[in-house]
Amino acid sequence: MEQYEPDRLSAAQAAAMRRSLRSGRASLTRRSLLRASAGGALAVGGLGALSACGIPPAAKTSGVSSEDHSAKEKTVNFSNWTEYMDVDESEKHHPTLDEFKRRTGITVKYTEDINDNVEFFGKIKPQLAAGQDTGRDLICVTDWLAARLIRFGWVQKLDPSNLPHAFANLSQQFRSPDWDPGRAYSYPWTGISTVIAYNKKALDGEEVKSVSDLLDNPRLKGRVGFLSEMRDSVGMTLLDMGKDPGKFTDDDFDAAIARLQKAVDQGQIRRFTGNDYTSDLTKGDFAACLAWAGDVVQLKADSPDVDFLIPDSGYMTSTDNLLVPNKARHKTNAERLIDYYYEPKPAAQLAAYINYVCPVDGVKAELAKIDEDAANNPLIIPDQEMAAKSRAFRSLSSKEETAYEEKFAKLTGA
């Protein structure tokens, strides 16, 4: 297990963090495409201070529990992203959480205090490194941070006996990431797919089928967008080159960067963006671009000119994941909440609201009762053919992450 060391951000990593806070997925509010995330400047300053303050290394562990108070304390403290939970029309209640309490007697203290993975890591790592309770029983973080927390031994192994629905209903494409084989420590909250989106009017009859078309078609010059998130843009390029993003080498990465650099030098790529591509795409400034599926669902509903495609070479998928931190007081209650969201009915209610990929098998019939269009949308419920094309970016060592982000930052001019 990897030893935690107090880390300092390289210039490239700091730039990547700023991109994420300013315009990447961190700036999404899951239902409001263009609303800026809170706390960006504070996050940058706060993380820098934490990185420099000399937090002592944590001992190597395989997850540290404390006395589980679940039986006596009917509560669970759940930290999640903004607008990542269903709400009623009054916007004051979360129907699925209310139903969980009615059924189990467990109150969920639900807090929307995750604006960005790096910022949130800065909040919780002092306690985790010191072997202390974070005050949270359940957290939701993106796969690369989930992998880091597992490597450091800062989250608890889950008890399968409390997760019968999760074990049975987890979609096959999410069952065994390289950073948590067999999902011993985590379960997905949602999947986040990267696809090709296009504006039919702006294309004016031009056909787009692949990343190669984005990079090489001269008729699209200056009207193509790629994402400022390294794993998405490089991952999609690797797939187009016939490489597996889950198994690539340093040479493969360099070749993908070189291919993107050529497109930048020739003016093919207009710019690298976070979710602000939504404006470029709807206006037609981008004829086609890489895009996140959750955005595309909303854009298609608002604009008849916007559509998407899945390249034959495949597409990138990441996940936001539920984990139980070390020293959590209510581990069993947290596991019961995880399992609840793997029942088809609450899973369908959640998917109908947030419009991201639902990781729960058997949810389509329930979702159709709420929203038939959503149930038939492969960006929310992937069919077998689409699921088979899903690929994940492999885990990176600290050394690799620093080197790769530096190369990507040079490419994007960050």
Side-chain angles (χ1 to χ4, degrees), residues 16 30 48 67 124 145 162 193 205 252 264 381:
R30 269 53 186 190
E67 182 181 353
I124 64 176
L145 180 53
N162 293 326
S193 300
D252 295 333
V264 169
I381 308 292

Side-chain angles (χ1 to χ4, degrees), residues 312 315 382-390:
D312 288 341
Y315 67 101
D383 55 27
Q384 286 187 340
E385 181 181 1
M386 182 169 172
K389 293 181 178 181
S390 171

